[in-house]
Amino acid sequence: FRSSYVGSGKLEGRRALITGGDSGIGAATAIAFAREGADVAIAYLPEEQEDADRIVKLIEDAGRKAVAIPGDLKELDNCVAAVEKTVEGLGGIDLLVNNASRQVWNDGLLNVSDEDFDATMRTNLYSAFRVTKEAVKHMEPGSSIIFTTSVQAYGPSKELLDYAMTKAAFNNLAKGLSGELLASKGIRVNAVAPGPIWTVQHVSYGEPEEKLPEFGADSPLGRPGQPVEIAPIYVLLASDEASYITGECYAATGGSGTGG
């Protein structure tokens, strides 16, 4: 995705914060936004600094300003700081992509420890809620918030119960916020529900190892998608071309649908 996306000025002058922007869908979206003319801040775990450095360089290679924000978003202070550093570094915030997520497979309910459950809720739900709440304070009419949800929100796998719960909550939160914020501030809120997209998340405890060779093979297209293949959906929802779209969830599943 580093070389294939070509922009056309759809986000000229916009200022974006993308959580989990160092790899996978977040990184592809950051690059696409920059190539569409946006300045981009990425929030990421400190241990992912090497990956973040590569994405920062690609944003800058597109001629846009980049802000790198390391910090664990499970902590409230880091959620607030991510928005504050975006506003300070870019002069404001118009676009927010809540993408950071934790996905760790466990074989059924009885094998989900309290520690795993808590970490997933805090990484996914708490962080997105807190970052959104802080960002809205700085957003003007015409801004856009996008949640990365999942087909797991509609058809949860038994190995991903806690993860799937958070993605269903994202769908609900996007729908609920779209009414509240559209009425009061003119901020659009939408979600993107990827199906089997090949990211580092899947090889780092996101899927059982024995399932990796067949990942995405059961989709009608017969393969997993690549992050660059869904980045244009984020561009659309961030742009003025989606000025009449809010409270929606766009699925990209390789033809499998959402089952819901």
Side-chain angles (χ1 to χ4, degrees):
F1 60 83
R2 295 177 181 175
S3 60
S4 61
Y5 188 91
V6 178
S8 56
K10 290 184 177 68
L11 302 178
E12 196 69 39
R14 305 283 259 173
R15 300 157 299 182
L17 168 61
I18 301 173
T19 67
D22 59 295
S23 65
I25 294 169
T29 301
I31 295 165
F33 277 18
R35 291 178 182 171
E36 291 289 359
D39 294 328
V40 183
I42 59 170
Y44 55 92
L45 291 170
E47 56 264 35
E48 307 298 339
Q49 187 64 52
E50 185 176 348
D51 289 336
D53 289 342
R54 285 194 289 267
I55 303 308
V56 164
K57 183 179 185 305
L58 287 164
I59 294 168
E60 293 174 341
D61 286 348
R64 307 310 307 177
K65 187 169 186 178
V67 176
I69 308 173
D72 190 339
L73 296 180
K74 289 199 300 292
E75 305 302 327
L76 172 60
D77 289 348
N78 289 332
C79 295
V80 173
V83 175
E84 290 179 343
K85 290 176 181 178
T86 299
V87 172
E88 179 181 350
L90 303 183
I93 179 170
D94 311 297
L95 308 174
L96 170 63
V97 178
N98 284 302
N99 174 73
S101 288
R102 178 182 191 269
Q103 176 183 324
V104 177
W105 75 274
N106 291 283
D107 191 15
L109 175 67
L110 298 182
N111 292 296
V112 180
S113 69
D114 286 349
E115 292 77 16
D116 260 350
F117 184 83
D118 185 59
T120 300
M121 295 299 122
R122 291 173 63 203
T123 302
N124 299 7
L125 280 183
Y126 281 41
S127 69
F129 183 84
R130 290 164 168 172
V131 171
T132 300
K133 186 176 179 180
E134 190 66 24
V136 165
K137 299 175 185 177
H138 303 275
M139 286 180 154
E140 298 295 331
S143 296
S144 174
I145 298 170
I146 307 168
F147 290 85
T148 298
T149 176
S150 170
V151 294
Q152 288 289 324
Y154 303 93
S157 301
K158 68 181 181 66
E159 298 91 353
L160 297 172
L161 291 176
D162 52 347
Y163 171 82
M165 288 171 61
T166 66
K167 295 305 182 175
F170 280 175
N171 283 0
N172 190 277
L173 183 56
K175 188 73 172 179
L177 288 175
S178 67
E180 174 192 338
L181 298 179
L182 182 64
S184 62
K185 296 197 70 171
I187 301 170
R188 294 180 296 105
V189 190
N190 292 288
V192 179
I197 303 295
W198 190 254
T199 71
V200 68
Q201 191 175 55
H202 295 288
V203 296
S204 57
Y205 308 106
E207 296 282 345
E209 187 174 351
E210 64 272 15
K211 289 189 175 183
L212 290 176
E214 303 300 322
F215 180 67
D218 59 350
S219 72
L221 291 181
R223 63 171 178 84
Q226 297 296 324
V228 69
E229 294 181 285
I230 63 171
I233 302 175
Y234 290 83
V235 170
L236 168 66
L237 294 175
S239 75
D240 289 340
E241 293 181 1
S243 58
Y244 199 59
I245 301 173
T246 193
E248 302 293 344
C249 183
Y250 278 61
T253 67
S256 297
T258 60

